[in-house]
């Protein structure tokens, strides 16, 4: 076909009768202009609200705690109590048992050597523990922060 003989979108092959533009597949499947009944038509975004980062929130909490410390009376009682802050929340002790870790490998340790008190992961580590000297076992216990009493 000669150059320029292609039919363009929106034009007709016959004079005077316009042809409807062909929509692409992405336009046909688009939900852009579909009605959204779940959205509130009266909603307006609060443009004056500014999002704060963690650093700003923590700085405000420190300032609030400092101001509360200044309001302390001479006898040590607070005059008016602020609500709980990030810095003042105290949690009760956990009801989940603490995890124990192997003194040699650092993996979880379900077993404890009765002679030395060292925690171990599996039987290969137990074989190593049985071969340790008393002073070496004591050093492992000191590293864990236990008062070593080796039998």
């Amino acid at each position: 076909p000669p150059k320029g003989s292609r039919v363009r979108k929106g034009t007709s092959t016959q004079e005077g009768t316009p042809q409807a533009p062909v929509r692409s597949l992405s336009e046909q499947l688009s939900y852009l202009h579909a009605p959204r009944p779940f959205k509130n038509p009266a909603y307006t975004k609060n443009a004056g609200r500014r999002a704060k980062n963690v650093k700003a929130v923590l700085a405000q909490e420190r300032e609030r705690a400092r101001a509360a410390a200044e309001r302390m009376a001479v006898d040590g009682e607070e005059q008016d109590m602020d609500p709980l802050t990030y810095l003042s929340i105290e949690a009760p002790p956990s009801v989940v048992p603490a995890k124990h870790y192997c003194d040699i490998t650092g993996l979880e340790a379900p077993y404890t050597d009765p002679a030395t008190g060292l925690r171990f992961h599996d039987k290969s580590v137990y074989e190593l523990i049985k071969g340790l000297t008393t002073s070496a076992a004591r050093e492992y216990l000191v590293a864990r922060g236990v008062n070593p009493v080796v039998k």
Side-chain angles (χ1 to χ4, degrees):
K3 265 188 173 179
S5 65
R6 286 186 12 199
V7 177
R8 294 185 181 180
K9 287 184 182 177
T11 61
S12 64
T13 53
Q14 299 175 357
E15 293 298 322
T17 58
Q19 184 180 8
V22 178
R23 292 175 49 194
S24 69
L25 183 61
S26 63
E27 290 172 340
Q28 293 173 11
L29 298 176
S30 174
Y31 287 103
L32 180 64
H33 300 295
R36 296 181 180 99
F38 56 87
K39 285 196 168 190
N40 182 358
Y43 174 77
T44 56
K45 186 175 181 179
N46 188 357
R49 184 173 178 178
R50 183 178 69 91
K52 297 178 183 176
N53 60 18
V54 174
K55 187 176 179 181
V57 171
L58 290 176
Q60 282 183 333
E61 293 299 326
R62 271 189 239 106
E63 180 62 29
R64 183 180 290 166
R66 188 190 58 77
E70 289 177 357
R71 284 195 307 256
M72 296 276 289
V74 176
D75 59 352
E77 295 179 17
E78 285 193 30
Q79 293 175 348
D80 58 311
M81 184 78 173
D82 271 350
L84 292 177
T85 64
Y86 288 113
L87 301 175
S88 67
I89 293 177
E90 292 183 11
S94 175
V95 295
V96 178
K99 289 191 175 187
H100 299 284
Y101 297 98
C102 177
D103 291 316
I104 309 299
T105 64
L107 300 171
E108 282 195 47
Y111 313 108
T112 304
D113 179 30
T116 61
L118 289 173
R119 297 182 182 138
F120 60 94
H121 177 69
D122 59 8
K123 68 178 186 176
S124 63
V125 178
Y126 182 64
E127 298 290 329
L128 184 115
I129 289 175
K130 286 178 78 173
L132 288 177
T133 63
T134 308
S135 61
R138 186 176 292 125
E139 292 297 321
Y140 276 112
L141 289 171
V142 168
R144 188 184 352 140
V146 175
N147 187 13
V149 178
V150 179
K151 299 174 186 174

